[in-house]
Amino acid sequence: MRYIIIGAGAVGGAIGGRLFDSGLEVVLVARGTHLDALREHGLRLQLADREEQLRIPAVEGPAELTARDDDVLVLGVKTQDTPAVLDTWGAYGYGTGTGDRAGTGPAVVCAQNGVENERLALRRFADVYGMCVWLPASFLEPGVVSALGAPLTGMLHLGRYPSGSDPTVRAIAADLTAAGFAAPVTEDVMAWKYAKLLGNLANAADAVLGPDEDARRELAARARAEGVAALDAAGIPYIGAEQQARMRGDRVESPQAKHSSTWQSLARGTGSIESDYLNGEIVLLGRRFGVPTPANEALRHAANRAARERRAPGELTAEERAELLGAGN
């Protein structure tokens, strides 16, 4: 298979880099200064035990590629960028397949936070797979990705969307395993992704509250409690904390800073943030099923404002901070 990593940031760069380093065919898709750096120098991948400079082919879009039957598109962009990616890549590979894959287009793996991406992708592609990403990584400098997890780089639960498994996902999992990841195949990958969503509700607090650890924990706990209530009201299953801990154990330990992907978006000044699809998912469910979600609404609003105004992480006025911490109290 050829892996086309659309969004070669922290997660996409780590996955693509490790797959390439294990001998597989990989193409990175990026833009701007990151694409320039990848083309000029390759990907500098910092791992727990070494650093690699990987000369991985890098492109800006599908016009630079010839579609193949064995292509796998791995989406690594934030959810707010998924519609534009699908507009760009939605016709890629149609009409080139043979046998069982004739006319279906490539396999698509959503290596993304949130639970909306798979649904969006399934409108365009027949074979969509969810990936629940547990991969401590950072991307703060063009051309450089740090993924310091050990003894494994990360744990990536995989499954067909909306449920089930098939030979394609098992082959992808085998490649990821050989590349240094744990890659369990599950029949209900979305239960894992909803569990990850509950954890990701803390991302906005990490991004907007800065170094005030006690305040972050307290607000994140309120956001999670609202999330649990909303998922329960909606009847949506998710993997419990005990099962997650038992599965993960000490297989992925990392010394690097535990800042979230949302924090990294503010630090890079990207101008957009994924909180509408993390905290906003709980707000949506709360409105549909009659569950109050004031902490998640406040976090969604604060994170969007910080991204829109290109504020640094933790850059709140005293009034904004007081309003945020008072949400739901």
Side-chain angles (χ1 to χ4, degrees):
M1 288 186 282
R2 178 174 67 171
Y3 291 92
I4 301 172
I5 312 294
I6 304 174
V11 169
I15 292 173
R18 295 243 58 184
L19 287 170
F20 181 83
D21 195 40
S22 73
L24 294 173
E25 191 172 0
V26 174
V27 177
L28 302 180
V29 181
R31 58 188 178 182
T33 57
H34 188 39
L35 176 60
D36 294 340
L38 292 172
R39 283 175 165 168
E40 185 173 356
H41 305 293
L43 174 69
R44 177 150 51 105
L45 180 61
Q46 300 168 340
L47 300 170
D49 59 347
R50 67 188 187 281
E51 183 174 300
E52 299 282 355
Q53 196 74 32
L54 303 171
R55 301 294 302 195
I56 308 175
V59 303
E60 188 171 15
E64 300 174 60
L65 296 171
T66 299
R68 295 180 0 193
D69 292 355
D70 63 344
D71 281 335
V72 177
L73 306 186
V74 180
L75 305 190
V77 300
K78 299 293 192 295
T79 307
Q80 68 269 22
D81 297 321
T82 297
V85 164
L86 292 174
D87 284 345
T88 300
W89 291 82
Y92 180 83
Y94 275 88
T96 63
T98 59
D100 292 341
R101 298 203 58 78
T104 66
V108 176
V109 178
C110 296
Q112 301 160 284
N113 287 333
V115 294
E116 182 67 12
N117 298 287
E118 290 81 3
R119 184 171 180 268
L120 292 170
L122 198 61
R123 294 176 184 270
R124 307 292 188 97
F125 296 96
D127 296 312
V128 175
Y129 303 89
M131 177 187 285
C132 181
V133 176
W134 189 46
L135 199 176
S138 63
F139 165 54
L140 297 172
E141 177 185 347
V144 182
V145 168
S146 176
L148 304 182
L152 298 175
T153 301
M155 179 170 286
L156 310 172
H157 282 81
L158 291 156
R160 189 174 176 89
Y161 180 79
S163 62
S165 62
D166 61 20
T168 297
V169 75
R170 288 190 286 273
I172 294 169
D175 285 346
L176 290 166
T177 300
F181 299 96
V185 174
T186 175
E187 295 291 313
D188 192 2
V189 70
M190 297 310 293
W192 283 93
K193 296 202 72 166
Y194 273 103
K196 178 76 182 303
L197 172 65
L198 290 176
N200 287 145
L201 299 179
N203 287 16
D206 173 48
V208 301
L209 283 172
D212 191 340
E213 187 171 344
D214 290 340
R216 291 203 317 265
R217 285 179 178 173
E218 195 275 335
L219 188 56
R222 274 190 276 148
R224 181 183 177 87
E226 292 175 3
V228 169
L231 293 185
D232 289 346
I236 295 173
Y238 53 92
I239 303 300
E242 185 176 312
Q243 184 178 348
Q244 293 180 63
R246 185 169 60 250
M247 174 68 77
R248 289 167 178 164
D250 59 359
R251 300 165 79 184
V252 184
E253 299 289 340
S254 175
Q256 69 191 89
K258 301 297 184 182
H259 285 306
S260 67
S261 57
T262 304
W263 186 97
Q264 293 179 44
S265 292
L266 287 189
R268 294 201 314 275
T270 60
S272 69
I273 212 157
E274 61 185 335
S275 299
D276 279 344
Y277 298 96
L278 301 177
N279 306 91
E281 181 70 26
I282 298 306
V283 172
L284 172 62
L285 289 173
R287 289 170 178 167
R288 289 182 60 201
F289 295 97
V291 176
T293 58
N296 282 285
E297 173 61 15
L299 283 167
R300 186 197 68 79
H301 177 71
N304 278 322
R305 179 176 55 205
R308 184 173 60 249
E309 297 176 3
R310 298 185 188 275
R311 299 186 187 186
E315 191 178 327
L316 285 178
T317 67
E319 181 179 355
E320 289 168 343
R321 184 179 182 281
E323 180 182 354
L324 180 59
L325 293 179
N329 278 344

